[in-house]
Amino acid sequence: MIEKIRLAKSTIGAEEKQAVLRVLDNEYLGMGEEVRLFEQELQEYLQTGREVVCVNTGTAALHLALHCLGLHEGDEVLVPTITYVASFQAISATGARPVACDVREDTLFIDVDDAKKRLTANTRAIMPVHYASDSRHIQGVYDFAAEHDLKVIEDAAHSFGSKRDGVAVGDCGETVCFSFDGIKNLTSGEGGAVVSDDTDLLALIRDARLLGVEKDTEKRYSGRRSWEFDVKQQGFRYHMSNIMAAIGRAQLGKIDRAALTRQGIVKRYLSRLDGLVDIVPLQLDYDNIVPHLFVVKVKGGKRDGLRDYLVGHGIECGVHYQPNHLLTRFRSDYRLPVAEKAYGEILSLPLHLDLSVSQQETIVTRIREFCGR
Ligand SMILES: *Cc1c(COP(=O)(O)O)cnc(C)c1O
């Protein structure tokens, strides 16, 4: 039987298990002390003066940020077509329309020149996605947004732990949303967070994650409940539980090692795949990102062939992602040629903390075999 090599997985140790047991033993499972501590420790890790608000998924983080920024029906939000459908669904959940934009060929980051063509009187915001953890080209987005008075919401689901111009992602830019789902750089089982330079926005989000109950967060963090309260805005049931936060805290305690492992895996891929003309890695800021995905473009019409070959040898691969403007719900009446071409070429190779050097050598050997045929 061939050994199966997984594309992605959670890596959970004794620390996470003990942390969950601690919460179960306390018999306080909802949002309380663990969440308060997780938010504080995230803030310390990011070395930021900004507050961190945790929620139950990355999608909820995006939705709450957009909702509390006032996005609603009739508004349009520019977003790269190559992203997880979560970005699009979070926008449409507010009633606003996601407007798919093309991506840059080198990084698959949003192409600002294309975004400019999609600007209308209804455009209110732009959501750049840190595709495969990279956001080195974001300044163009901020310049464009400043010119047209657009809000910027960074989908940083892939990039927790990464740096941009020497500053932690989350400690720069406007409103930044992380995902802590099972296979992201840091996991709390499921989870997400919003970090922003806008303290009024964060105050709204803190209430909106708990059904809009005013100042419920402070009460819960001090072990109390709200019996008499006011509600002025639409709220959601998006708060993080103590169980999730406990997992996240244990993960955060090991994040530096995890980051180095991910970076090391990607550096080995880059050096071992060097020289293969049909395999072209994205031009990412590999020295400064903590990579969530390792994506190559497979040239010469060979992507599907290589994918089938690897899968046939027990090596799971991925395609991140189908362009959203090709989905029924988000279909556009215009073409996005760079994204559509990239969609036929991209392949994600296994990247997770339990990937061994010998497994990685197996993957590289299989790719070399296929390319040499
Ligand atoms: C994972 C992800 C999200 C959403 O995060 P969840 O925690 O799964 O809801 C959003 N955008 C991108 C690009 C993602 O990969």
Side-chain angles (χ1 to χ4, degrees):
M1 215 190 82
I2 45 171
E3 181 202 20
K4 208 162 147 56
I5 301 178
R6 289 177 62 177
L7 172 63
K9 68 184 285 295
S10 311
T11 298
I12 295 297
E15 299 88 343
E16 289 85 348
K17 291 173 189 171
Q18 277 162 16
V20 169
L21 284 177
R22 181 181 70 234
V23 173
L24 295 179
D25 284 340
N26 275 343
E27 300 183 318
Y28 188 119
L29 311 186
M31 190 177 104
E33 183 67 3
E34 292 285 337
V35 180
R36 186 183 73 76
L37 289 168
F38 187 35
E39 289 177 341
Q40 188 185 313
E41 288 161 10
L42 284 165
Q43 194 180 348
E44 284 160 13
Y45 172 74
L46 296 173
Q47 294 187 313
T48 181
R50 300 173 173 199
E51 283 168 48
V52 178
V53 180
C54 282
V55 292
N56 60 354
T57 65
T59 309
L62 292 168
H63 180 202
L64 280 180
L66 291 159
H67 173 82
C68 293
L69 283 166
L71 273 291
H72 54 68
E73 207 177 322
D75 294 341
E76 292 173 2
V77 180
L78 302 167
V79 57
T81 188
I82 295 196
T83 181
Y84 190 37
V85 69
S87 317
F88 275 66
Q89 291 285 30
I91 294 166
S92 68
T94 67
R97 194 166 72 84
V99 176
C101 299
D102 216 342
V103 294
R104 299 170 57 108
E105 215 173 318
D106 54 355
T107 54
L108 305 189
F109 195 70
I110 190 168
D111 176 356
V112 177
D113 291 329
D114 186 78
K116 282 177 187 161
K117 294 186 213 156
R118 324 237 164 258
L119 194 71
T120 72
N122 297 322
T123 312
R124 295 280 172 272
I126 182 165
M127 183 188 284
V129 175
H130 298 190
Y131 182 83
S133 311
D134 190 289
S135 60
R136 77 199 306 187
H137 293 119
I138 208 159
Q139 193 51 48
V141 172
Y142 277 103
D143 293 344
F144 167 63
E147 208 176 306
H148 299 282
D149 198 20
L150 308 178
K151 309 279 188 200
V152 180
I153 302 95
E154 297 185 31
D155 180 341
H158 293 184
S159 59
F160 187 81
S162 303
K163 292 224 150 91
R164 182 166 76 222
D165 302 325
V167 181
V169 166
D171 191 29
C172 44
E174 287 179 16
T175 299
V176 182
C177 298
F178 292 113
S179 163
F180 304 139
D181 94 16
I183 58 164
K184 295 281 162 58
N185 287 352
L186 178 131
T187 188
S188 52
E190 297 283 356
V194 185
V195 191
S196 179
D197 62 350
D198 181 344
T199 48
D200 295 338
L201 174 70
L202 290 179
L204 284 174
I205 291 175
R206 227 176 265 119
D207 288 349
R209 71 176 164 178
L210 283 160
L211 298 172
V213 174
E214 290 195 335
K215 305 213 186 315
D216 205 21
T217 289
E218 288 97 290
K219 296 229 178 63
R220 286 176 188 242
Y221 283 177
S222 54
R224 291 175 293 141
R225 287 293 303 270
S226 302
W227 299 114
E228 277 146 5
F229 52 79
D230 197 14
V231 172
K232 296 199 191 84
Q233 59 157 335
Q234 171 69 55
F236 304 89
R237 195 75 173 152
Y238 280 171
H239 62 282
M240 179 177 272
S241 77
N242 273 349
I243 300 175
M244 299 157 93
I247 297 172
R249 292 181 65 206
Q251 287 261 312
L252 192 58
K254 306 188 282 189
I255 186 78
D256 289 340
R257 205 167 0 118
L260 284 174
T261 303
R262 284 183 173 275
Q263 288 166 335
I265 290 169
V266 164
K267 297 235 160 98
R268 181 172 293 109
Y269 273 133
L270 289 170
S271 78
R272 300 285 287 111
L273 294 171
D274 193 35
L276 288 175
V277 289
D278 288 331
I279 306 293
V280 182
L282 298 181
Q283 302 298 302
L284 307 183
D285 188 11
Y286 291 108
D287 290 328
N288 295 298
I289 62 172
V290 177
H292 162 57
L293 300 174
F294 181 67
V295 180
V296 295
K297 288 188 184 171
V298 185
K299 297 291 180 177
K302 295 180 182 167
R303 197 274 311 272
D304 289 347
L306 176 58
R307 178 169 64 171
D308 293 347
Y309 187 75
L310 293 176
V311 170
H313 285 90
I315 299 163
E316 264 183 8
C317 300
V319 175
H320 296 92
Y321 301 88
Q322 266 190 100
N324 283 269
H325 74 284
L326 304 178
L327 303 175
T328 303
R329 177 166 166 81
F330 301 116
R331 193 168 314 268
S332 67
D333 55 8
Y334 50 85
R335 307 299 299 268
L336 294 172
V338 179
E340 287 171 31
K341 176 159 180 268
Y343 175 47
E345 297 180 333
I346 48 178
L347 190 67
S348 305
L349 300 179
L351 172 55
H352 56 78
L353 300 184
D354 295 323
L355 188 70
S356 68
V357 173
S358 78
Q359 285 177 323
Q360 218 186 337
E361 286 303 320
T362 302
I363 296 163
V364 170
T365 302
R366 294 300 181 198
I367 294 173
R368 290 187 164 274
E369 268 169 25
F370 178 84
C371 290
R373 293 197 307 188

